[in-house]
Amino acid sequence: MADTAIPPDTAPHQPGTAAPRRPGRPPAPQRPRRRPRSRATAGTGRLAALLVSPTLLVLTIVVLYPTLMALDESLYGTKGLDPKTGFISATEPFVGLKNYTDIFTQAGDRFWNAFWNTTFFTVVTVSLETVIGVAMALIMHRAFRGRSLVRASILVPWAIPTAISGLLWKWIFNADGIANVLLGRQVLWTADGFSAKIAVVIADVWKTAPFIGLLVLAGLQVIPKEVYEAARLDGASALQQFWRITLPLVKPALLVAVLFRCLDALRMFDLPYILIGAQKGSVETLSMLAQNEASNVRFGPASAYAVLLFLYVFLIALAFVRLLGADLIGGVGGTKKRKSHAVRVPRRRVREVAA
Amino acid sequence: MKTSTARAIQCSAALAAAGLLLTACGSSGGSGSGQSAQAAPVSFKGRGPISYVAGKDTTGTVQTIINRWNKAHPKEKVTFIQLPTDADSQRQQMIQNAETKSDAYTVLATDVVWTSEFAAHQWIEPLPANQFPLGKMLQPVVETGKYRGKLYAVPASSNGGLLFYRTDLLKKAGVTRPPTTWAQMTADCAKVKKLPEAKNMSCYAGQFQKYEGLTVNFAEAVNSAGGQIVDATGKPDVDTPQAKKGLDFLVHSFKDKTIPKEAITYQEEDGRQAFQAGKLIFLNNWPYVYSLAQKSGIKGKFAVAPLPGLNGPGASSLGGSNLALSSFAKNKATALDFMKFFTSEESATYFLKNASLAPPYADLYDSASLDKQYPYLPDLKQSITKAVPRPRVVQYGDVTAAIQNEVYAALTGKKSSAQALKDLQGDLQKLTAQ
């Protein structure tokens, strides 16, 4: 549909292509161009709708429909076993919000354990990653020989797929692995316990600190050198320069990086699943819990956990964006505009740095 | 559904981000109408192309057998659909196929512990038992294919745990025969440990990481001490003195370092590597270790024996795989013929010779020529005939998770073995109560 609609509208805009062949024609397209301009708003609107509709259609099929199914599914319980025939009933009973209220009663322990694990991983890994990432960015920003080599090597962990780095760290944290050799004593990292938590944190920080480093580096590169020169003339120490100039100016990029990482960490699944294993209470996250329920053919509770995880992610994101906007402006007006600007800058810079 | 579109889009975006759409998709077949509750005897109708679904074929032997079939039956060709190697993903894909009632999968290679779950959900068809040579197969193996007395899956291959031990060290320490009881094993260990070359070795290991292997090892310990996890009627029976003796063997062995501390992280491969690296005197593992260890540094220095028990030879947990027929498949007549062909004694011999898969047929274990190639076959036969299947329950996934939780707590010293078994009994009662 879009194809047939485009030519009549776009043709007048490209007189250049036709002009060389038919020199006498150029003025002709110009006249009709003026008239449509008044109607352009309606026409453009229709065109926009046409152009966007395939996207919306795809979104509806691959995103909206499954989501509605998940919400619907979360209202159903698990199929029961008929003791006489030995067969599972064909339909799932409608239980309303029971799957949600169960987290306060019978299924609660496991859910809240997963919830706190998820929160723990998010808070700890993102904090560590922020500190290390900023340090990495500062190093990468420095002008020295072999800088490109350092930049490349810092980015290697981020380039490795999580599943692969999970396996990698599994070897490192093996009972006879290099981690224990370096420590000089035997810590059973992959057993279920607090050390497993630490193992996941280490592996995750190793993998994703470069991501924060990358985004912060992008932020650093837009800070004009003159600001530092002026600061140096005023006698500011290196630390003062960092706190008063670098940090405030790199903040928009840093906040976006932290937001991305938070959302990522909240849905952590593959790293603990591969590194430590399924059903390990000390590292089970909400995603792992939902997957486990689904694999035991309890789609109702699984969907409910997935929806709760979504709400959690959504609330964190919302809170973050609100804070982010307020912080950026220092006032109320024009929040929207600045916000989108702040988000866009690092993205554009990322491409430059990567290239 | 009262959610506004806008919110739903936001929901979906975050859900997609959370990577959990799978959950939603998998559920779509959930509320459809199933078959009638009464399992009518299936008439196997329809001939034509079918599919065989199994984990990755690492030896290439499955494809060879299928090629043989395809050559003889050009109009009823079998396509081999390979799933990932690990059993959990295989099970998940088969469940997804069944939940969507897809006819893509015809013959399924199922793990021995899935039969009850698949049969109770009516994902697989009851099979005509009289059309398969079940009488020639080892009885415990045949039992794994049954649910409530009806045959739902035909044994294709079997597997049993074996005790691998270091012959060179035992001989040096003056021990001539492998131990048959746990007490003998620890006594032999003590003798071997006095040798200078065994100074830094540990005595025994199995699979004690928190996964299916732990369930297998726990079941073996309990069964070898005369206990059981569920009784003949399917009721949990794990809070008994016999079961406690079995669990205590593992708990005490960890405490007095008969089992090394790091074995709590061991899966099959970790144990095999430790054994091959000369860190273990005894190892409980599957027969696949044999051919690999023959290629390692301990070649010719080890042998196998049946698992030891409390008062005599112990009982292994059964492994292996069965063939089942998907309820939603087409061309079931062809499928039945293919299953007969695939599970025939001829095919089993081929798999034994070329992929060292333990056959379900009793007489293959007694063949002299095969014994030469696989010296462990007589021991494996004894292991399998004495083996006890893991609990045959519909909610096996939850049962094995409960076992792993409680046993792991006992092994790591978080709970006493008595308390762990008491809690496990409670958990299992809840899970099998329906």
Side-chain angles (χ1 to χ4, degrees):
Chain A
M1 275 202 306
D3 288 344
T4 54
I6 290 166
D9 275 349
T10 48
H13 292 278
Q14 298 169 323
T17 52
R21 278 183 220 160
R22 297 183 196 178
R25 287 279 162 185
Q30 260 175 2
R31 212 179 288 154
R33 195 191 207 175
R34 196 160 275 183
R35 252 183 289 142
R37 198 168 263 185
S38 55
R39 293 186 317 202
T41 39
T44 316
R46 226 175 297 139
L47 178 65
L50 267 176
L51 290 176
V52 168
S53 56
T55 315
L56 286 180
L57 188 73
V58 168
L59 280 179
T60 311
I61 294 170
V62 304
V63 177
L64 184 63
Y65 174 74
T67 309
L68 292 180
M69 288 301 297
L71 279 171
D72 179 49
E73 184 63 39
S74 72
L75 305 177
Y76 288 87
T78 44
K79 298 173 185 178
L81 183 72
D82 185 339
K84 259 185 225 149
T85 58
F87 293 130
I88 301 276
S89 64
T91 51
E92 292 169 331
F94 182 80
V95 293
L97 293 176
K98 188 171 174 294
N99 287 330
Y100 294 98
T101 52
D102 271 356
I103 64 167
F104 299 107
T105 55
Q106 40 166 318
D109 290 349
R110 210 170 157 201
F111 174 83
W112 291 110
N113 174 54
F115 181 83
W116 291 121
N117 278 342
T118 308
T119 313
F120 173 84
F121 284 138
T122 306
V123 171
V124 174
T125 58
V126 175
S127 320
L128 286 172
E129 282 157 23
T130 309
V131 175
I132 297 170
V134 169
M136 282 176 170
L138 289 174
I139 292 168
M140 288 192 280
H141 190 50
R142 280 269 166 91
F144 56 89
R145 280 185 80 198
R147 180 171 75 160
S148 49
L149 198 71
V150 172
R151 278 190 187 182
S153 54
I154 282 183
L155 291 177
V156 164
W158 178 246
I160 296 176
T162 315
I164 307 293
S165 69
L167 284 174
L168 203 77
W169 283 96
K170 197 175 179 179
W171 280 99
I172 294 174
F173 286 129
N174 193 3
D176 309 318
I178 186 79
N180 283 343
V181 173
L182 288 178
L183 279 174
R185 62 199 200 94
Q186 197 172 55
V187 180
L188 298 174
W189 300 95
T190 53
D192 196 4
F194 190 71
S195 52
K197 271 197 179 80
I198 305 288
V200 171
V201 167
I202 292 173
D204 195 58
V205 169
W206 174 83
K207 180 177 161 50
T208 46
F211 174 74
I212 292 194
L214 194 71
L215 291 200
V216 172
L217 176 63
L220 283 178
Q221 288 183 335
V222 295
I223 302 176
K225 285 210 173 72
E226 296 81 11
V227 188
Y228 289 103
E229 279 164 19
R232 231 173 289 136
L233 282 179
D234 288 344
S237 68
L239 200 65
Q240 276 173 325
Q241 284 179 31
F242 177 74
W243 281 112
R244 299 278 171 84
I245 299 171
T246 312
L247 216 49
L249 287 177
V250 88
K251 206 172 180 181
L254 183 60
L255 283 178
V256 170
V258 171
L259 172 65
F260 282 8
R261 277 305 307 145
C262 276
L263 302 190
D264 228 17
L266 283 171
R267 58 175 179 72
M268 192 190 290
F269 173 84
D270 35 11
L271 190 62
Y273 190 86
I274 292 169
L275 179 57
I276 310 296
Q279 292 171 20
K280 295 270 177 65
S282 56
V283 295
E284 188 168 68
T285 63
L286 282 175
S287 311
M288 288 166 81
L289 176 60
Q291 190 269 351
N292 188 257
E293 289 290 301
S295 71
N296 280 316
V297 215
R298 281 191 297 267
F299 297 117
S303 302
Y305 297 147
V307 169
L308 287 171
L309 174 60
F310 151 70
L311 286 175
Y312 189 36
V313 171
F314 180 74
L315 284 177
I316 297 279
L318 194 71
F320 223 98
V321 168
R322 282 279 156 84
L323 281 176
L324 197 87
D327 246 297
L328 280 175
I329 301 305
V332 192
T335 315
K336 279 260 155 92
K337 214 173 177 184
R338 282 302 294 265
K339 213 191 299 166
S340 62
H341 178 66
V343 174
R344 242 174 249 156
V345 169
R347 273 197 182 160
R348 206 188 306 141
R349 301 294 307 184
V350 168
R351 231 174 285 141
E352 281 172 32
V353 174
Chain B
M1 213 53 40
K2 279 165 196 160
T3 356
S4 73
T5 321
R7 189 165 155 216
I9 289 174
Q10 285 165 345
C11 289
S12 51
L15 266 186
L20 292 166
L21 285 174
L22 191 76
T23 317
C25 301
S27 65
S28 52
S31 44
S33 66
Q35 294 177 322
S36 63
Q38 297 290 324
V42 198
S43 51
F44 294 92
K45 277 184 200 152
R47 297 205 163 264
I50 57 165
S51 67
Y52 170 68
V53 187
K56 198 171 181 319
D57 175 22
T58 47
T59 54
T61 47
V62 176
Q63 191 60 57
T64 318
I65 287 281
I66 290 177
N67 289 345
R68 265 189 214 175
W69 165 273
N70 285 346
K71 217 172 184 184
H73 305 82
K75 281 188 184 160
E76 302 169 58
K77 281 214 159 105
V78 176
T79 321
F80 183 22
I81 300 179
Q82 298 200 35
L83 300 181
T85 18
D86 71 305
D88 277 340
S89 351
Q90 290 167 21
R91 174 173 163 267
Q92 222 159 344
Q93 295 215 18
M94 288 179 188
I95 292 179
Q96 266 171 32
N97 180 73
E99 285 278 315
T100 53
K101 303 193 192 312
S102 154
D103 60 4
Y105 294 178
T106 316
V107 177
L108 309 171
T110 56
D111 196 303
V112 285
V113 290
W114 300 344
T115 310
S116 298
E117 183 185 22
F118 280 42
H121 280 94
Q122 300 186 33
W123 292 330
I124 52 177
E125 297 277 21
L127 301 170
N130 53 5
Q131 295 190 30
F132 292 95
L134 299 178
K136 290 171 77 183
M137 296 183 178
L138 298 166
Q139 220 39 51
V141 182
V142 176
E143 284 302 307
T144 62
K146 288 185 178 169
Y147 176 64
R148 295 204 165 199
K150 263 192 208 145
L151 187 76
Y152 278 86
V154 194
S157 71
S158 184
N159 220 348
L162 291 171
L163 184 73
F164 291 80
Y165 65 97
R166 291 287 297 270
T167 43
D168 58 331
L169 297 176
L170 254 62
K171 201 182 268 175
K172 242 187 201 171
V175 184
T176 49
R177 272 198 290 169
T180 53
T181 66
W182 292 329
Q184 277 174 23
M185 185 169 79
T186 33
D188 291 351
C189 255
K191 284 182 202 160
V192 171
K193 291 269 281 174
K194 279 181 193 146
L195 300 170
E197 57 262 56
K199 213 174 129 199
N200 294 319
M201 290 177 86
S202 294
C203 178
Y204 171 78
Q207 295 79 46
F208 306 111
Q209 175 68 286
K210 198 174 182 181
Y211 80 118
E212 186 61 27
L214 182 61
T215 304
V216 169
N217 276 257
F218 168 70
E220 281 169 355
V222 168
N223 295 329
S224 299
Q228 53 187 359
I229 296 176
V230 291
D231 65 15
T233 59
K235 292 223 165 64
D237 185 29
V238 84
D239 193 11
T240 58
Q242 291 90 338
K244 186 170 179 301
K245 274 179 195 159
L247 181 57
D248 275 344
F249 161 66
L250 296 178
V251 172
H252 291 158
S253 299
F254 263 105
K255 254 185 209 149
D256 65 16
K257 295 191 176 141
T258 303
I259 298 175
K261 199 177 91 182
E262 63 259 37
I264 198 78
T265 66
Y266 278 7
Q267 300 193 5
E268 280 90 350
E269 279 298 277
D270 307 284
R272 176 177 74 82
Q273 274 152 15
F275 185 64
Q276 286 182 185
K279 289 181 191 163
L280 292 170
I281 302 166
F282 294 101
L283 172 73
N284 171 357
N285 213 325
W286 305 104
Y288 86 97
V289 169
Y290 194 91
S291 53
L292 290 171
Q294 275 297 3
K295 291 174 200 150
S296 77
I298 56 162
K299 180 180 184 335
K301 294 181 184 168
F302 70 94
V304 293
L307 294 178
L310 181 66
N311 301 314
S316 155
S317 285
L318 266 185
S321 78
N322 300 337
L323 290 199
L325 175 58
S326 164
S327 303
F328 313 102
K330 285 177 186 152
N331 300 331
K332 286 179 183 169
T334 302
L336 194 65
D337 284 350
F338 175 69
M339 289 165 83
K340 284 179 202 162
F341 165 79
F342 198 89
T343 59
S344 67
E345 193 162 341
E346 204 189 331
S347 304
T349 315
Y350 178 81
F351 284 131
L352 171 63
K353 279 185 178 161
N354 295 287
S356 66
L357 273 183
Y361 291 94
D363 55 356
L364 286 185
Y365 290 90
D366 305 325
S367 144
S369 63
L370 286 169
D371 283 3
K372 207 173 252 175
Q373 193 184 353
Y374 300 106
Y376 57 84
L377 278 181
D379 292 308
L380 185 58
K381 184 187 181 188
Q382 196 187 333
S383 167
I384 292 173
T385 41
K386 284 203 165 186
V388 181
R390 277 162 279 167
R392 291 188 282 146
V393 289
V394 174
Q395 289 180 305
Y396 184 76
D398 294 317
V399 165
T400 183
I403 293 175
Q404 289 165 34
N405 267 332
E406 296 300 335
V407 175
Y408 199 81
L411 293 188
T412 50
K414 289 209 179 81
K415 272 186 192 178
S416 70
S417 53
Q419 186 63 41
L421 289 175
K422 203 174 159 205
D423 293 350
L424 181 57
Q425 175 76 9
D427 291 347
L428 294 185
Q429 261 160 2
K430 256 183 248 158
L431 287 172
T432 51
Q434 293 171 329

